[in-house]
Amino acid sequence: MSIVVTGATGHLGRHVVQQLLEKVPADRITAVVRDEARAADLAARGVKLAIADYNAPATFDGLFAAGDKVLLISGNEFDKGRPQQHQVVIDAAKAAGVALLAYTSAPGSLTAALADDHRATERALLASGLPYTLLRNGWYHENYTEQLAPVLEHGAVVQAAGAGRISSASRADYAAAAVAVLTGEGHENKTYELGGDEAWSFDEYAAELSRQTGKEITYRTVSTEAYAGILAGAGLPGPLAAILADVDASIEKGELVVSTGDLSRLAGRPTTPLSEAITAALKG
């Protein structure tokens, strides 16, 4: 039996594989990647590699085996029809008779268009009859802390989220939850709503940035349309800019506040505070 991680060289996937290596022998881990060269460091640690692409269904033929536990990390190609990409993995997993297929989804409370692909994938997974775990990941700290350069340059956090709050956590936190499911028992046919222990507002985010940098950084809220224009001006494709601006509208409505405590329970520790993520980003 292997633990198989798709998208293993992505931001979240790498965290998952690295944390799995702390719990299980490397030869029990299979990293599914598109580019073998990007996974050379994982192979050097004894992780098995499988070269496959969501857009080429035949590459998944025979990739899984009966009894495997699989983590399907949602794709990031918003223009390629993600539900169809994910269906390729679901079909291959069903054909092999895997023991569990866990999927990184979005919070059940999220109504933004970003959630549509996730809901479609959830429906397909449930229809497959496979034992499943839905890991409904909330927002990542890194969605903001990896974009600090313009914030620091202009002294402003610009969003379209009003006074909305977010229960974000670090990628490492969400990876810890996935690893707990992949290495533990009793997670079949469960849905976990995952988010950070402490919700925060962009006013608080700007204040924490000010405290840590010694610069005056303010929060400026703009309309959803204006924010989409700002993102497009920064180089994001128009459709993706609109999707992300739509998420801000959901944040304003409180749809990214997750108060279940599922994430810290699965991880076995408190989630990473936003302040720590900011500190790490500023050092980086």
Side-chain angles (χ1 to χ4, degrees):
M1 183 206 83
S2 288
I3 295 175
V4 187
V5 180
T6 74
T9 53
H11 290 305
L12 179 62
R14 279 196 172 276
H15 279 289
V16 172
V17 174
Q18 286 160 3
Q19 292 185 39
L20 280 171
L21 284 166
E22 298 170 8
K23 294 202 167 193
V24 298
D27 63 4
R28 278 191 53 206
I29 305 168
T30 299
V32 182
V33 300
R34 285 190 293 192
D35 183 350
E36 188 172 1
R38 287 188 61 196
D41 60 317
L42 301 180
R45 296 184 67 182
V47 174
K48 293 187 287 189
L49 301 185
I51 314 305
D53 189 325
Y54 294 151
N55 299 306
T59 60
F60 279 89
D61 289 349
L63 194 155
F64 304 122
D68 284 352
K69 290 185 176 181
V70 180
L71 176 64
L72 169 54
I73 294 180
S74 57
N76 59 5
E77 295 176 313
F78 294 91
D79 58 336
K80 295 276 182 74
R82 292 194 298 168
Q84 290 77 20
Q85 292 180 328
H86 300 157
Q87 187 73 56
V88 167
V89 180
I90 293 168
D91 290 345
K94 183 175 182 179
V98 304
L100 182 73
L101 181 56
Y103 172 64
T104 61
S105 192
S109 53
L110 186 65
T111 63
L114 179 71
D116 293 348
D117 289 351
H118 293 298
R119 299 294 164 253
T121 302
E122 289 184 4
R123 289 192 294 271
L125 181 50
L126 268 61
S128 74
L130 282 166
Y132 68 87
T133 307
L134 298 182
L135 297 165
R136 287 180 168 170
N137 288 358
W139 226 218
Y140 300 148
H141 291 331
E142 290 89 346
N143 290 343
Y144 304 106
T145 59
E146 288 182 351
Q147 315 295 331
L148 286 180
V151 172
L152 299 178
E153 180 185 349
H154 299 292
V157 174
V158 180
Q159 301 284 155
R165 301 180 75 78
I166 308 171
S167 304
S168 66
S170 70
R171 289 195 187 107
D173 293 336
Y174 291 107
V179 167
V181 165
L182 294 168
T183 60
E185 300 297 333
H187 300 290
E188 293 83 0
N189 305 329
K190 298 281 182 67
T191 297
Y192 296 110
E193 298 285 350
L194 305 175
D197 295 337
E198 300 291 335
W200 52 270
S201 69
F202 283 106
D203 272 327
E204 292 166 345
Y205 177 55
E208 183 62 23
L209 283 170
S210 299
R211 187 184 72 79
Q212 292 201 30
T213 62
K215 301 176 181 178
E216 184 180 350
I217 296 172
T218 59
Y219 170 42
R220 185 158 63 90
T221 186
V222 297
S223 69
T224 304
E225 294 75 20
Y227 186 52
I230 291 168
L231 293 174
L236 262 63
L240 180 56
I243 285 172
L244 293 178
D246 188 38
V247 170
D248 266 28
S250 285
I251 290 171
E252 185 168 24
K253 291 184 279 189
E255 293 179 4
L256 279 179
V257 173
V258 180
S259 54
T260 60
D262 284 352
L263 182 52
S264 55
R265 272 196 298 275
L266 282 173
R269 57 170 172 75
T271 60
T272 305
L274 178 65
S275 58
E276 281 187 23
I278 290 171
T279 301
L282 291 171
K283 283 180 181 173

